[in-house]
Amino acid sequence: MRVETQRYTERFGSVRLNEVQKDLELDSGRAGAAHPLENIAVLKIVEEASKDFEEKMAIAIPIKNEKLKLFEGVISGIPHDCLIIVVSNSQTKRVDRFRMERDALNQYCNFTRRSALIIHQKDPVLAEALAKSGYASLLGEDGLVKDGKAEGMIVAILLASLIKKSYIGFIDADNYFPGSVWEYVKCYAAGFSLAKSPYSMVRILWHYKPKVSEGMFFRKLGRVSEVTNKHINSLISFNTGFETEIIRTANAGEHAMSLRLAELLPYATGYAVETQELVSIFEEFGGVLPLAQSTVAKRGVEIFQFETRNPHLHEDRGSTEHLENDMLLPSLSAIYHSPLCDKTIKENIIKELVSRGILKEKGKPLRPRQYKPPKEVDLKKFQEVMPENLTPYSALAED
Ligand code: GDD
Ligand code: MG
């Protein structure tokens, strides 16, 4: 593929924030003599370089009761060398949707000669492994892993660590275009190939996010993302003293991290998860608060943002109310409760939420539930319970 070079990088302490880079060409041809503009304005990521990263990457797909056809499309878009990790919270009673997902994945892996891992989020063995390894906070009152995509993501990070992958990318299961799934992974690999630090993150910005109403309308940005971006940029601006609009992916569900970074971060539940990742990186490595990990700060954390060619079309679950209440409130709460957030930003967040009717006058957003970094889990103990017990809820879809 061919992408724009990093034309501009802002720094927040030891965090390097790269401006959005556009994907210019999905296929940039054979590796060969460099074009005169190569590495100045554009970067060619040769297929072989991309593959080097893909084979070290796990792609985690969180799924809960999605149409099977969509799931099949998503897995078919993931480049062959990536390991697929599916964390499902789909129903198992009445119609066993989890079994359907497992069967579809098994069949796909057999035909395409590749491997994948699928696990149910409510697998009691998984819960036992988490309890024994010091991660009981992920469990609910019933003793099983709590509901939520974020909780599924944490499980996937632990599994990827166990399997010794170096990178993990997240892709939702409700995506209509396998081609866009393929492009996300190519962007992940491109970002990691450009990273100079082992602590790196790649976030996806969609070229368009079409809405089907009367005909098709190709929107550039989601409404929620625009608002979250504005407030997270204020957070950076306040702390660096320089106004910025660098972050354009505060709510990026499609994103990837080096495992070394993923293991270090605390995670928030629900729609706060993606915003909280950024906030945590700024808190820990921005240099304003005491540095959490000086060795990491030395190498720096690098954040890439890529704009894809493919539009993003996923399941439309409905109303503005869903979007704003479910998404905006937790995202802005993650910013609000950061020690980096000053009085004025807090006031602006409250104003934003009140003016949208999401928060009552004089209300205060609740702090999203936080989970400790996966690094604090005793992976050895986790492994002792996990491997021989990957059934019956889960199966290694490999022969
Ligand atoms: N494992 C697991 N457990 N997966 C879940 C759960 C759960 O409890 N709940 C939802 N999922 C899966 C869905 O099946 C889907 O594949 C993915 O998580 C995202 O859920 P959606 O319901 O499609 O989320 P969304 O479209 O509203 O929001 C997406 O985009 C936002 C940014 O625009 C998500 O990626 C958000 O995380 C993101 O903030
Ligand atoms: Mg969705």
Side-chain angles (χ1 to χ4, degrees), residues 273-307:
V273 62
E274 293 96 2
T275 310
Q276 182 67 55
E277 287 169 1
L278 289 177
V279 170
S280 300
I281 289 174
F282 300 155
E283 287 173 3
E284 296 196 18
F285 311 110
V288 176
L289 304 174
L291 286 175
Q293 330 252 350
S294 56
T295 45
V296 181
K298 230 183 198 162
R299 305 296 300 269
V301 173
E302 269 178 295
I303 299 177
F304 296 88
Q305 304 176 91
F306 281 94
E307 184 181 278

Side-chain angles (χ1 to χ4, degrees), residues 63 65 68 71 86-93 95-105 117-123 390-395:
I63 184 166
N65 300 329
L68 201 62
F71 174 63
V86 181
V87 182
S88 173
N89 195 13
S90 299
Q91 69 180 56
T92 49
K93 307 236 163 66
V95 182
D96 189 346
R97 299 197 68 89
F98 175 58
R99 174 171 284 279
M100 284 154 61
E101 291 156 4
R102 200 174 63 180
D103 290 350
L105 187 66
L117 194 66
I118 179 164
I119 189 162
H120 199 279
Q121 198 160 323
K122 302 289 179 182
D123 186 333
L390 278 166
T391 51
Y393 272 90
S394 52

Side-chain angles (χ1 to χ4, degrees), residues 106-119:
N106 255 313
Q107 191 180 45
Y108 173 74
C109 286
N110 280 332
F111 274 110
T112 54
R113 316 304 305 157
R114 62 188 294 173
S115 54
L117 194 66
I118 179 164
I119 189 162

Side-chain angles (χ1 to χ4, degrees), residues 90-317:
S90 299
Q91 69 180 56
T92 49
K93 307 236 163 66
R94 285 186 305 125
V95 182
D96 189 346
R97 299 197 68 89
F98 175 58
R99 174 171 284 279
M100 284 154 61
E101 291 156 4
R102 200 174 63 180
D103 290 350
L105 187 66
N106 255 313
Q107 191 180 45
Y108 173 74
C109 286
N110 280 332
F111 274 110
T112 54
R113 316 304 305 157
R114 62 188 294 173
S115 54
L117 194 66
I118 179 164
I119 189 162
H120 199 279
Q121 198 160 323
K122 302 289 179 182
D123 186 333
V125 178
L126 171 65
E128 187 194 332
L130 288 165
K132 288 208 170 133
S133 57
Y135 218 156
S137 55
L138 213 56
L139 310 178
E141 280 171 13
D142 60 359
L144 303 176
V145 174
K146 288 178 188 150
D147 289 331
K149 171 188 157 174
E151 286 73 1
M153 285 169 58
I154 297 172
V155 170
I157 292 171
L158 292 173
L159 293 176
S161 301
L162 209 64
I163 299 165
K164 300 208 166 27
K165 288 287 164 184
S166 306
Y167 302 96
I168 182 156
F170 302 98
I171 296 185
D172 289 348
D174 63 338
N175 194 308
Y176 274 88
F177 299 144
S180 69
V181 170
W182 180 86
E183 190 185 6
Y184 299 149
V185 181
K186 292 290 165 184
C187 289
Y188 295 164
F192 294 132
S193 77
L194 299 176
K196 294 192 179 65
S197 164
Y199 306 97
S200 51
M201 172 182 266
V202 184
R203 302 173 76 94
I204 299 292
L205 174 70
W206 308 309
H207 197 180
Y208 294 108
K209 189 178 181 190
K211 278 267 164 240
V212 187
S213 43
E214 289 162 22
M216 183 90 96
F217 179 67
F218 287 82
R219 258 187 90 86
K220 279 298 274 184
L221 268 182
R223 280 166 295 195
V224 171
S225 319
E226 282 174 53
V227 178
T228 318
N229 290 342
K230 183 176 82 185
H231 291 284
I232 203 157
N233 282 320
S234 300
L235 187 91
I236 302 172
S237 306
F238 169 77
N239 284 283
T240 59
F242 291 89
E243 198 167 5
T244 184
E245 292 182 350
I246 193 88
I247 297 292
R248 296 190 43 213
T249 53
N251 290 102
E254 268 68 30
H255 66 287
M257 285 181 268
S258 62
L259 245 296
R260 284 173 76 176
L261 177 62
E263 288 168 348
L264 284 181
L265 299 180
Y267 291 89
T269 191
Y271 284 109
V273 62
E274 293 96 2
T275 310
Q276 182 67 55
E277 287 169 1
L278 289 177
V279 170
S280 300
I281 289 174
F282 300 155
E283 287 173 3
E284 296 196 18
F285 311 110
V288 176
L289 304 174
L291 286 175
Q293 330 252 350
S294 56
T295 45
V296 181
K298 230 183 198 162
R299 305 296 300 269
V301 173
E302 269 178 295
I303 299 177
F304 296 88
Q305 304 176 91
F306 281 94
E307 184 181 278
T308 56
R309 300 301 313 181
N310 278 283
H312 181 86
L313 186 65
H314 67 141
E315 279 290 73
D316 191 355
R317 285 183 236 279

